[in-house]
Amino acid sequence: MRRSVAVRLSAVLATGALTAATGVALSSSTASAATGGVTGYATQNGGTTGGAGGQTVRATTGTAIHQALCSRASSSTPITIQVEGTINHGNTTKVSGDSCSTAADKIELKQISNVTIVGVGNGAVFDQLGIHIRESSNIIIQNVTVRNVKKSGSPTSNGGDAIGMESDVRNVWVDHTTLEASGGESEGYDGLFDMKDNTQYVTLSYSTLRNSGRGGLIGSSESDTSNGYVTFHHNLYENIDSRTPLLRGGISHIYNNHYRNLNESGINSRAGARAKVDNNYFEDSKDVLGTFYTDAAGYWQVSGNIFDNVTWSEREGDNNPAGPNPTSNTSVSVPYAYTLDAATCVPSVVSQTAGANKGLKVSDGSCTPQSPDPTDPGPTDPDPTDPDPTDPPAGTNLSIGAGADGSSKASGTSYGNVVDGSTSTYWSPSGSTGSVSVKWGSATTVSKINIRQASGSGTIGSYRVLNHDTGAVLASGSGAGVIGFSATSLKKITFEITSASGTPRIAEFETYAS
């Protein structure tokens, strides 16, 4: 039994709950929480945009969060949920609907995509209530505190994980969060940030993890090695017994983190895992890197780290620390750009940026925290693509003979009208926004679409073109006409109208290979 963590919780957690009974408010504007721009592995595999371009909803209860998910037109309709107040068992109930699958004892993000949950106003605190992501993709969680989630005792939630991901999860960005417990397993707590059962393309950035027996893991057992491509940067791990994180298989990039008071072990690379460990600051800790509690070795590439008052145990049996002079035993390359702060300034930079309610400040790579431009859409948002209706594409219209569906349909119109080759028939959303998709039975390469509006139509304002298979945004802009993007192989492509004047009428949704 590992010893429990001494409880040193801060008394300044934001817990200001609003008094609204239903806890839901709609905003006519759209918003993206990705203020500082997504980084790390979450930029790969099509990128992570969350609910960008969708409706914005304000929620002050867990039930309201579930209701917002369940009120969407589909499980993939983008939505940003702005949260303020304290979310707990008393105000979180199950809500049913075709676009959601929720539960009463946790915030359940299950079998959904394109969602942002962001703390606003006086702050968002998930008190003894975890966030569970399962069979989902393109999720952003930002500027929230999750605390004291238990797997035993009362009340229990999410298996004891503050944030847990499992079962075919893709593209999650967790940013500027505070994740904390009040002890270890003997006190009823488990991990703060866990990933298992085929979870990939995740970034944890500018977050504080503290006062827990277990920081987090990638892989639930030595055989669960389908996870990986995870980035950890500019996080504070403080007063943690172990697992900062525990890695089983896969690749992780760990840079510019501040580790303080790791009581038993730190980064535990096992079962073939490979970790790139750059410019971190390890302080007042024990065995901060190595393979521990197993004979299934893991590997690491180290560079630029500082070890300040770190003690190392002897290598013996299943205890194999990397120190006292850690050297690389593998080589890891990453596919994205990043800028390293010098390890010497990591404690200062992380103290000013990591955690909820820090103003979403980020590092500029020169040891100086910056308040990011709130109008910056982030590096994974594509540049707006202005259609040119005077330049019709050449070649075969791939939509003819394909299928069609969508998320909103006005009475008397049909999704199939956009693929019938006739400009005299059309699809309209039931209001000013909605989406229509073209789909094929096998992967088809598309690099250009042509949106033809019918006469008497309202005017399309803003739009997004989505790879429906992955949720990735291929293009965005305004108006109808020809829209080009990088050639993409997919089975389903979606044209999403996010704003309009009146009700648009789409006569044809043409698709072309070039």
Side-chain angles (χ1 to χ4, degrees), residues 408-415 426-431 503-504:
S408 174
K409 179 168 64 70
S411 176
T413 71
S414 169
Y415 299 121
Y426 60 86
W427 161 82
S428 285
S430 58
T503 301

Side-chain angles (χ1 to χ4, degrees), residues 97-422:
D98 293 338
S99 61
C100 65
S101 177
T102 70
D105 63 346
K106 62 180 75 71
I107 297 301
E108 185 77 284
L109 308 180
K110 182 179 180 182
Q111 298 171 345
I112 62 174
S113 60
N114 310 326
V115 173
T116 293
I117 294 177
V118 56
V120 297
N122 292 321
V125 177
F126 294 78
D127 186 27
Q128 303 182 79
L129 198 78
I131 299 175
H132 184 223
I133 305 171
R134 182 181 178 91
E135 299 172 73
S136 295
S137 64
N138 196 24
I139 306 294
I140 295 174
I141 299 173
Q142 191 173 50
N143 200 38
V144 303
T145 293
V146 187
R147 67 184 186 191
N148 293 337
V149 181
K150 286 191 170 186
K151 68 175 182 179
S152 63
S154 180
T156 61
S157 175
N158 197 31
D161 297 336
I163 296 178
M165 291 161 268
E166 62 179 311
S167 298
D168 303 321
V169 173
R170 293 290 185 275
N171 290 87
V172 177
W173 180 33
V174 178
D175 177 66
H176 284 91
T177 64
T178 297
L179 311 177
E180 59 189 8
S182 295
E185 187 176 20
S186 61
E187 286 79 27
Y189 304 99
D190 197 9
L192 295 177
F193 194 72
D194 280 11
M195 292 158 276
K196 54 190 177 182
D197 192 14
N198 197 23
T199 293
Q200 299 180 357
Y201 301 104
V202 176
T203 296
L204 175 67
S205 57
Y206 299 103
S207 291
T208 294
L209 297 85
R210 63 189 176 202
N211 302 329
S212 176
R214 297 169 173 174
L217 58 75
I218 302 175
S220 59
S221 68
E222 306 296 68
S223 61
D224 183 15
T225 57
S226 59
N227 311 278
Y229 307 115
V230 182
T231 301
F232 303 84
H233 74 89
H234 292 93
N235 303 299
L236 170 65
Y237 286 83
E238 182 178 35
N239 194 29
I240 306 286
D241 278 353
S242 63
R243 302 186 181 184
T244 66
L246 186 157
L247 314 171
R248 292 179 168 117
I251 295 175
S252 295
H253 188 196
I254 302 170
Y255 70 92
N256 283 155
N257 301 287
H258 185 197
Y259 298 90
R260 186 165 60 198
N261 301 120
L262 306 185
N263 301 316
E264 297 180 6
S265 62
I267 300 169
N268 185 353
S269 183
R270 334 171 19 167
R274 298 164 59 218
K276 183 174 173 61
V277 184
D278 297 329
N279 287 33
N280 300 281
Y281 196 104
F282 300 92
E283 181 180 7
D284 298 336
S285 297
K286 177 184 177 183
D287 287 344
V288 297
L289 174 65
T291 296
F292 306 104
Y293 323 125
T294 182
D295 59 4
Y299 308 96
W300 45 83
Q301 178 183 341
V302 292
S303 175
N305 301 288
I306 291 177
F307 303 93
D308 180 1
N309 192 32
V310 171
T311 60
W312 301 91
S313 60
E314 295 293 328
R315 297 183 182 180
E316 182 179 9
D318 62 2
N319 189 66
N320 289 281
N325 296 301
T327 58
S328 301
N329 56 17
T330 191
S331 178
V332 179
S333 61
V334 296
Y336 51 82
Y338 63 99
T339 303
L340 288 171
D341 284 305
T344 52
C345 70
V346 163
S348 174
V349 169
V350 169
S351 71
Q352 297 175 71
T353 58
N357 307 315
K358 290 289 186 71
L360 300 178
K361 290 183 178 180
V362 298
S363 169
D364 65 352
S366 62
C367 299
T368 305
Q370 303 287 322
S371 295
D373 182 356
T375 63
D376 181 5
T380 60
D381 285 351
D383 293 332
T385 304
D386 293 326
D388 182 3
T390 66
D391 182 23
T396 302
N397 175 13
L398 304 173
S399 297
I400 302 299
D405 59 22
S407 66
S408 174
K409 179 168 64 70
S411 176
T413 71
S414 169
Y415 299 121
N417 288 341
V418 304
V419 294
D420 63 0
S422 171

Side-chain angles (χ1 to χ4, degrees), residues 46-92:
T48 304
T49 57
Q55 186 180 37
T56 297
V57 176
R58 182 69 65 96
T60 60
T61 68
T63 303
I65 294 172
H66 285 159
Q67 185 63 57
L69 297 172
C70 296
S71 298
R72 296 185 297 165
S74 75
S75 61
S76 62
T77 301
I79 189 169
T80 293
I81 305 173
Q82 297 178 337
V83 182
E84 185 174 21
T86 299
I87 311 301
N88 55 34
H89 285 260
N91 62 30
T92 301

Side-chain angles (χ1 to χ4, degrees), residues 417 420-426 452-455 507-508 510:
N417 288 341
D420 63 0
S422 171
T423 57
S424 62
T425 62
Y426 60 86
R452 298 182 181 272
Q453 289 195 246
S455 60
E508 290 297 294
E510 300 174 353

